[in-house]
Amino acid sequence: MTTSLPQDATPQEGAPKPPAVGRLAPTPSGRMHLGNAFSALVAWASARSQGGRVILRIEDLDPRAQDPQNAQMLVDDLRWLGIDWDEGPVYQSDRTDVYLQQIDALAQKGITYPCFCTRSELHAATAPHASDGTYLYPGTCRGLSPREVAERSRKRRPATRLMVPAEDDPNGTIVFEDLGYGAHEECLAHECGDFLIRRSDGVVAYQLAVVVDDCQMGVTEVVRGRDLLPSSARQIYLAGLLGMTPPRYGHVPLLVAPDGRRLSKRDHDLSLQALREENVSPKVVVGLLASYIGLAEGGEEIDAADFERRFSWDAIRSHRDDIQADASALLPR
Ligand code: GLU
């Protein structure tokens, strides 16, 4: 059976619609840029426009992202934009034991294995595959004998991978309807292969943590940049294995710099920090972001509440291409 999620399924007549629960899930690796602000605004507006709740989760699993100052600045930037939340901030770094329990549960099912491949071995063996830079893992360590595992463990701490079904097994083909990008189908064996659930430095992998959090926190919709669209299939698959109900997914277009580069937290000129330092008002920023998806006229100033009132997923569905963002127009010359 193909794992299929009817995302826009009409609830049965008379059945009360469960309240929407959205989430903001920033990684504190730097200040927010306009692209982060755009997806946070859409995630918030989507949940609030349905009368739903919002959870703030700080994704600081990677020790390099465990920077309380950065986390505090993200919280300030969100508030400055006019975004609020009902729960959190919840820090992923406080939840390691919860993730490890779930990794154990998968190991008990016999569907995980230690992987000793180094990053350079992986890069040499395969070409970058999916648009998110995922490598198709060729299964190098899948068949290691217990003796080989013991021998290799003496030299190198292994990562942990999750086995995905063979290409011809329909269980490994995930079909879902994205709120922004429509029907999506992905064969895991073909797109990513066995994927990491724990890194060799012991850090729990993003895919595992995000599923456990979203499901355990009762999140009903995950809204984020379209670079994470290919991850959704892995996340739906993992949720199924862990006996959890996956949320709906809605991806939004990416913002790119005027020269076509994808915005990154290093693009200081497009950070909220730079705009705030120049005393640009949040209404100008929200107005600019709204204009990218036809919710405001160019130059119109609106606040987050206006954005929410005007928001519908149709706006995203009719603006799916990457957006050239030029915040320099907002800065004084
Ligand atoms: N923490 C990720 C980021 O800041 C988002 C992950 C997600 O939304 O699933 O880009």
Side-chain angles (χ1 to χ4, degrees), residues 1-20:
M1 187 203 65
T2 304
T3 310
S4 168
L5 280 183
Q7 298 272 316
D8 269 335
T10 327
Q12 288 197 331
E13 229 175 299
K17 206 173 163 230

Side-chain angles (χ1 to χ4, degrees), residues 179-180 293 295 310-320:
L179 292 165
I293 48 170
L295 298 182
R310 298 179 189 189
F311 178 77
S312 85
W313 278 95
D314 286 339
I316 301 290
R317 286 192 279 263
S318 45
H319 295 86
R320 285 179 181 172

Side-chain angles (χ1 to χ4, degrees), residues 111-123:
I111 51 174
T112 68
Y113 61 87
C115 170
F116 298 89
C117 295
T118 62
R119 193 177 282 257
S120 50
E121 280 164 352
L122 290 173
H123 288 204

Side-chain angles (χ1 to χ4, degrees), residues 22-24 26 32 40 44 48 52-58 71-90:
R23 46 68 148 187
L24 307 159
M32 274 178 103
W44 174 83
R48 289 291 192 228
R53 291 170 50 238
V54 176
I55 299 172
L56 172 61
R57 183 170 76 229
I58 305 290
Q72 188 52 49
M73 285 190 297
L74 287 174
V75 168
D76 288 348
D77 283 344
L78 288 168
R79 286 213 180 98
W80 179 82
L81 281 167
I83 291 175
D84 62 354
W85 48 92
D86 310 287
E87 206 180 310
V90 178

Side-chain angles (χ1 to χ4, degrees), residues 41-324:
L41 206 50
V42 175
W44 174 83
S46 176
R48 289 291 192 228
S49 61
Q50 302 165 66
R53 291 170 50 238
V54 176
I55 299 172
L56 172 61
R57 183 170 76 229
I58 305 290
E59 302 214 317
D60 61 345
L61 268 184
D62 192 319
R64 284 167 303 186
Q66 282 162 11
D67 181 334
Q69 239 179 335
N70 271 346
Q72 188 52 49
M73 285 190 297
L74 287 174
V75 168
D76 288 348
D77 283 344
L78 288 168
R79 286 213 180 98
W80 179 82
L81 281 167
I83 291 175
D84 62 354
W85 48 92
D86 310 287
E87 206 180 310
V90 178
Y91 289 81
Q92 284 192 323
S93 55
D94 289 338
R95 290 175 46 81
T96 304
D97 288 351
V98 177
Y99 309 133
L100 293 180
Q101 259 175 22
Q102 299 297 335
I103 292 177
D104 253 10
L106 295 169
Q108 297 293 327
K109 290 180 195 266
I111 51 174
T112 68
Y113 61 87
C115 170
F116 298 89
C117 295
T118 62
R119 193 177 282 257
S120 50
E121 280 164 352
L122 290 173
H123 288 204
T126 59
H129 195 70
S131 54
D132 62 354
T134 306
Y135 284 78
L136 176 60
Y137 184 64
T140 319
C141 292
R142 203 196 241 232
L144 294 181
S145 67
R147 210 174 114 191
E148 282 169 313
V149 169
E151 264 168 29
R152 289 182 195 207
S153 299
R154 280 199 285 274
K155 291 189 213 118
R156 188 177 153 77
R157 193 173 166 185
T160 308
R161 282 185 188 272
L162 179 78
M163 292 179 192
V164 302
E167 204 160 340
D168 57 358
D169 179 344
N171 285 314
T173 293
I174 311 295
V175 182
F176 66 100
E177 187 75 19
D178 187 78
L179 292 165
Y181 286 81
H184 197 77
E185 177 173 329
E186 192 169 313
C187 168
L188 296 170
H190 188 245
E191 294 296 324
C192 59
D194 299 341
F195 60 91
L196 285 181
I197 50 172
R198 186 168 45 192
R199 302 183 339 198
S200 60
D201 59 4
V203 175
V204 174
Y206 156 73
Q207 304 291 359
L208 186 284
V210 84
V211 170
V212 172
D213 284 348
D214 286 334
C215 296
Q216 287 192 351
M217 294 174 187
V219 169
T220 62
E221 56 176 51
V222 163
V223 177
R224 56 191 178 193
R226 80 149 177 83
D227 52 327
L228 288 169
L229 184 54
S231 287
S232 309
R234 270 164 275 171
Q235 294 171 12
I236 292 168
Y237 180 67
L238 256 176
L241 289 179
L242 294 170
M244 298 172 171
T245 307
R248 308 199 301 169
Y249 292 88
H251 289 82
V252 303
L254 296 180
L255 266 57
V256 294
D259 62 4
R261 255 176 322 121
R262 209 175 111 184
L263 296 194
S264 83
K265 293 210 169 98
R266 283 186 297 273
D267 281 305
H268 182 74
D269 51 342
L270 289 160
S271 72
L272 292 198
Q273 176 181 25
L275 297 170
R276 290 178 66 176
E277 278 166 7
E278 295 293 344
N279 290 322
V280 175
S281 100
K283 283 187 168 191
V284 169
V285 175
V286 174
L288 177 73
L289 297 174
S291 72
Y292 292 147
I293 48 170
L295 298 182
E297 301 291 330
E300 194 183 345
E301 299 183 15
I302 67 169
D303 63 16
D306 296 322
F307 186 99
E308 183 222 307
R309 272 189 291 277
R310 298 179 189 189
F311 178 77
S312 85
W313 278 95
D314 286 339
I316 301 290
R317 286 192 279 263
S318 45
H319 295 86
R320 285 179 181 172
D321 292 341
D322 288 351
I323 297 165
Q324 281 220 344

